[in-house]
Amino acid sequence: MNEIEENKDNCIDNHVDEEISSCLNLKELRSFFLFAGAGSGKTKSLVYALNQIREKYYHQLQHRGQQVSVITYTNAACNEISRRVDYDHLFNISTIHAFIWGLIKGFDADIRDWLYTNLQSQIEDLKLKQEKGRMGTKTFIERQQSIEAKENRIQNIKHIKKFTYNPNGLNQEKASLSHTEVISIGAYFITNKTLMQKILTNQYPILFIDESQDTNKDLINALFEVEQKNIGVFSLGLFGDTMQRIYSDGKVDLGVDLPENWKKPVKKMNHRCPPRIINLLNKIRFTVDGQEQKARTDKEAGFARFFIFPSTAEKGKAEKMVADRMSEITADKEWSSIDANYTSLILEHHMAANRLGFLEFFRPLYQIDRLRTGLLEGTLSDLFLFTQIILPIVEANKIGDKFAIASVVRKHSPLLKIAKNEVGQQLKIKKAQEAINQLLSLWNADVEPRCIDVLQCVEKLKLFNIPDTFYPFVTNSKYDQTNKEDIKEENEYSSMEAWAECLNAPFSQISAYDSYINGKLNFMTHQGVKGLEFPRVLVIIDDSEARGFLFSYEKLFGVKEKTKTDIENESVGKDTSIERTRRLFYVTCSRAEKSLAILAYSENPELVKMHVLNEKWFKEEEVEVFL
């Protein structure tokens, strides 16, 4: 592959916006997939399309009582797009969970039927495993408790007349649906219920999905099915780049084998990065799909450097050395001044968990596929009891803010349900205050309370409602310990085991996790920088510290061989740890606007150097090894 070609026209992608606009004629709607690589101005094209619709069809859509829907990945993205279209009510801009809930809410009988069938299926599966299991083992007990929890939920849903859900809330009431359930129900209804398909297409004849590569694959497949049944009257517009897929539940082959009637515009420009970094990005992804980007003519050349240290190096010292070297190479004092202004990106969440002190809490849940996305997004509703109720109370108590504590208790505690008279209400308030005092007494001892201690205290006092997931841990005291001598019946690491380990972590790790996941700390990862950009970027790679099983930089850099699983997955077209790592590496490098430094800790620094030179990612003078 040649070096990046000189581009003489910074506006070569302008035709893409016109291509998209041509799909949005209400007389003959057409679907499209916009391939938009890093820094290509994807959001700009999305907003341009919305403004074109408003200009041409505002009154027509308003007369029909219709809207254009835009699904984005985060609340921050929703707010940004809404701001750029002047908060016009013609556009329904929401996260995927909020959008799906808007479709399915009110279909309570159908939701009840789905939940009943789904829970029964899970129970039957667990009972089959119990028949083959060994009584008395930890796994056997966990499964039995899980069966009881699901049977208890079935009994509860029989009496629920109206289901509830809050995309940003706790969802811990018996009538509440979880985030995962909302997506699963939505995908099922859209696929199998003609009425739901009609509601969707009649209300939203145009539906855009931002970051479509990371949208739940079952939901994407459901929308594809609706689109094919409604050609000409429904437009599904997908914006994304498969190379930037982060989450495991996204559709792997999105954009491949699209229906013939779809438009497939491609953006070639990268307006963010300088030529040197774009050249690196092109080479990183070349073996995947051959897609190449072009640089702006008004961008300076930029810098990309690769620094390699042995795994045993002193991390803080090594990272300071790299920053100083980059300052020297780029003649940019912002790399090494007292108020240095560069952004460190940690490529794997385990590294952040290890450095910030919440690894015991984080690692078990991260290993479970169905929990991982919610854990990384901060939307795992089972944790909201800790992060949105208990933690604010503990933090308020530290500064003596009794008003804040009372506010949380009034909002969430069943102990304060309205009494029939004033005397009764006073008694309830007194009981709630006593319960709060008992809960906070857990922090008065010299030993930090574990999450399980807090959970069992809350349940004993009936201070707050406990999520169904935690039911086994408060009804059987055996769950507050991890017996290493228990016989494992299965190789599979169960979600119950994960929760048992997680709950054994000190409660202080909840605070560290919450601060990290909400961007309050100076550590950012690949998942946390989606859509962001920084003048100077330091990418830190350390497999030994990350402890990840989904990613391996030592494999990507040629130090370790592919595993048998990698080879098997590769042969059948499934995702491998190497390809996941390549995408991770690509997205993180693509954040840099001026200069990029990559610091890799490795068991074999010389082999890493040889590999990146052979791949022609870097030139000899751009790679430095410190032994």
Side-chain angles (χ1 to χ4, degrees):
M1 187 181 67
N2 297 325
E3 295 293 305
I4 184 169
E5 296 178 11
E6 182 182 358
N7 174 43
K8 296 180 180 180
D9 183 2
N10 293 330
C11 302
I12 59 173
D13 287 338
N14 284 3
H15 70 94
V16 169
D17 290 341
E18 298 309 318
E19 277 191 66
I20 292 174
S21 292
S22 72
C23 295
L24 305 175
N25 184 337
L26 290 185
K27 292 180 180 179
E28 186 62 34
L29 289 169
R30 190 171 176 184
S31 296
F32 63 88
F33 176 84
L34 169 63
F35 170 82
S40 62
K42 168 177 58 66
T43 304
K44 182 180 178 182
S45 288
L46 193 158
V47 171
Y48 179 86
L50 294 177
N51 284 327
Q52 287 293 297
I53 294 168
R54 175 165 55 184
E55 184 178 314
K56 295 177 182 178
Y57 303 112
Y58 183 88
H59 295 294
Q60 191 172 342
L61 289 168
Q62 192 177 49
H63 179 72
R64 294 177 181 177
Q66 295 176 321
Q67 289 179 294
V68 175
S69 191
V70 181
I71 295 173
T72 67
Y73 216 80
T74 64
N75 286 322
C78 287
N79 293 335
E80 175 61 17
I81 295 172
S82 296
R83 182 187 67 79
R84 290 168 71 169
V85 292
D86 307 315
Y87 303 96
D88 196 320
H89 291 297
L90 179 67
F91 308 118
N92 175 44
I93 301 168
S94 62
T95 61
I96 187 67
H97 291 88
F99 175 77
I100 293 301
W101 176 241
L103 286 177
I104 69 173
K105 68 179 178 182
F107 288 85
D108 299 294
D110 298 279
I111 292 172
R112 185 182 300 105
D113 290 344
W114 185 93
L115 287 172
Y116 181 83
T117 302
N118 184 259
L119 288 166
Q120 284 286 24
S121 176
Q122 292 179 42
I123 290 168
E124 288 170 12
D125 182 58
L126 288 168
K127 285 183 175 179
L128 282 174
K129 291 180 179 179
Q130 286 296 72
E131 291 175 6
K132 301 174 184 178
R134 187 179 303 177
M135 291 184 64
T137 63
K138 178 180 175 182
T139 305
F140 188 93
I141 295 169
E142 287 175 348
R143 274 201 300 258
Q144 189 57 42
Q145 293 295 328
S146 184
I147 289 170
E148 291 174 11
K150 293 179 190 303
E151 289 177 337
N152 182 55
R153 180 131 192 249
I154 283 178
Q155 293 304 313
N156 287 333
I157 65 174
K158 288 180 181 178
H159 307 291
I160 294 172
K161 294 182 178 180
K162 184 176 182 180
F163 289 92
T164 62
Y165 172 72
N166 183 342
N168 305 306
L170 297 173
N171 299 306
Q172 290 181 318
E173 301 295 329
K174 287 182 170 59
S176 297
L177 299 174
S178 71
H179 299 294
T180 302
E181 286 170 343
V182 166
I183 295 298
S184 297
I185 293 169
Y188 179 83
F189 282 9
I190 290 170
T191 303
N192 296 282
K193 294 185 179 294
T194 304
L195 176 60
M196 184 59 66
Q197 295 175 8
K198 288 182 178 178
I199 290 172
L200 171 61
T201 56
N202 287 340
Q203 188 170 353
Y204 306 111
I206 299 172
L207 172 60
F208 292 161
I209 302 182
D210 192 17
E211 303 290 1
S212 57
Q213 73 276 356
D214 275 321
T215 304
N216 179 275
K217 56 181 173 290
D218 294 330
L219 189 56
I220 285 288
N221 288 334
L223 291 171
F224 270 120
E225 188 167 327
V226 172
E227 193 275 338
Q228 284 300 291
K229 291 179 180 178
N230 294 274
I231 292 174
V233 295
F234 175 67
S235 172
L236 181 59
L238 305 181
F239 296 74
D241 175 10
T242 51
M243 193 66 183
Q244 298 187 65
R245 181 165 60 87
I246 292 175
Y247 296 112
S248 58
D249 61 350
K251 187 172 173 62
V252 174
D253 56 352
L254 185 66
V256 177
D257 298 326
L258 288 169
E260 296 236 346
N261 60 304
W262 281 54
K263 277 267 191 181
K264 308 170 189 69
V266 175
K267 285 201 154 195
K268 296 182 179 180
M269 290 290 295
N270 181 325
H271 298 277
R272 175 191 301 143
C273 304
R276 175 62 192 96
I277 294 174
I278 293 175
N279 187 56
L280 171 63
L281 297 175
N282 288 344
K283 289 180 176 177
I284 290 171
R285 81 176 293 163
F286 185 72
T287 58
V288 178
D289 57 17
Q291 292 283 356
E292 296 184 356
Q293 290 184 302
K294 298 180 182 295
R296 292 185 61 87
T297 58
D298 52 2
K299 282 277 188 179
E300 294 183 5
F303 298 88
R305 293 292 188 276
F306 199 94
F307 303 92
I308 314 167
F309 286 77
S311 298
T312 54
E314 186 180 332
K315 307 295 169 66
K317 184 177 179 181
E319 287 154 30
K320 179 65 169 62
M321 286 175 64
V322 167
D324 288 342
R325 246 332 253 136
M326 285 301 292
S327 180
E328 184 180 331
I329 291 166
T330 63
D332 183 353
K333 293 182 180 179
E334 296 281 0
W335 271 103
S336 63
S337 62
I338 296 175
D339 298 319
N341 182 25
Y342 65 88
T343 302
S344 296
L345 303 183
I346 298 175
L347 288 178
E348 227 284 339
H349 287 279
H350 278 80
M351 291 175 66
N354 187 51
R355 292 184 175 210
L356 300 173
F358 61 89
L359 189 62
E360 293 171 86
F361 160 80
F362 179 87
R363 183 169 52 194
L365 301 182
Y366 187 77
Q367 295 182 64
I368 305 299
D369 283 346
R370 67 182 185 83
L371 301 179
R372 188 179 303 120
T373 298
L375 179 71
L376 300 183
E377 292 178 342
T379 58
L380 193 55
S381 57
D382 294 316
L383 293 178
F384 289 176
L385 171 68
F386 294 121
T387 59
Q388 296 189 23
I389 296 179
I390 309 300
L391 182 60
I393 288 173
V394 173
E395 296 296 328
N397 187 58
K398 287 179 182 178
I399 59 175
D401 190 345
K402 294 183 179 179
F403 178 81
I405 294 173
S407 178
V408 173
V409 176
R410 278 198 305 270
K411 185 175 181 181
H412 298 292
S413 179
L415 294 181
L416 288 182
K417 288 184 177 178
I418 302 298
K420 293 181 179 179
N421 53 58
E422 187 176 342
V423 174
Q425 191 64 25
Q426 289 298 321
L427 289 173
K428 284 179 176 288
I429 292 172
K430 183 179 179 182
K431 185 177 181 180
Q433 183 59 60
E434 290 172 352
I436 284 293
N437 290 340
Q438 286 189 56
L439 173 65
L440 291 173
S441 70
L442 294 175
W443 281 265
N444 293 335
D446 293 332
V447 180
E448 168 81 17
R450 299 168 301 164
C451 295
I452 187 66
D453 300 325
V454 175
L455 181 67
Q456 290 180 342
C457 180
V458 168
E459 172 60 16
K460 179 182 177 182
L461 299 169
K462 305 298 180 186
L463 182 54
F464 301 109
N465 293 321
I466 300 293
D468 287 342
T469 299
F470 296 150
Y471 177 75
F473 303 100
V474 295
T475 57
N476 189 330
S477 60
K478 292 181 181 179
Y479 282 94
D480 68 348
Q481 298 180 18
T482 303
N483 189 343
K484 301 296 182 184
E485 297 178 359
D486 276 341
I487 300 171
K488 296 283 176 112
E489 299 173 25
E490 308 169 31
N491 293 326
E492 181 182 332
Y493 186 72
S494 73
S495 58
M496 291 296 290
E497 276 186 294
W499 282 115
E501 283 192 42
C502 168
L503 292 172
N504 262 295
F507 185 84
S508 58
Q509 295 195 11
I510 293 285
S511 178
Y513 162 76
D514 185 67
S515 295
Y516 165 69
I517 215 69
N518 287 301
K520 300 175 185 175
L521 303 172
N522 294 323
F523 286 84
M524 303 188 76
T525 64
H526 164 72
Q527 285 84 354
V529 298
K530 179 182 286 203
L532 301 180
E533 52 194 35
F534 313 96
R536 303 159 204 85
V537 171
L538 170 61
V539 176
I540 302 172
I541 296 170
D542 188 351
D543 273 359
S544 63
E545 192 176 35
R547 304 186 192 181
F549 60 95
L550 290 174
F551 308 100
S552 174
Y553 295 94
E554 294 284 66
K555 287 182 188 176
L556 181 65
F557 297 148
V559 175
K560 291 184 177 179
E561 296 292 328
K562 295 178 182 178
T563 64
K564 182 181 178 181
T565 301
D566 287 326
I567 296 170
E568 289 173 352
N569 286 342
E570 201 173 58
S571 67
V572 295
K574 289 186 177 179
D575 221 9
T576 67
S577 59
I578 294 174
E579 290 313 306
R580 282 191 292 267
T581 308
R582 187 186 297 273
R583 294 196 302 269
L584 200 70
F585 189 48
Y586 174 87
V587 173
T588 313
C589 290
S590 70
R591 302 302 98 190
E593 296 174 293
K594 291 183 178 180
S595 53
L596 168 69
I598 300 163
L599 191 170
Y601 297 101
S602 175
E603 295 175 1
N604 194 329
E606 290 295 342
L607 199 55
V608 172
K609 177 180 178 179
M610 186 186 307
H611 182 79
V612 299
L613 291 178
N614 288 341
E615 291 289 316
K616 297 184 178 179
W617 291 355
F618 295 90
K619 297 176 182 177
E620 180 82 34
E621 63 270 20
E622 294 177 322
V623 181
E624 297 184 30
V625 178
F626 296 82
L627 298 174

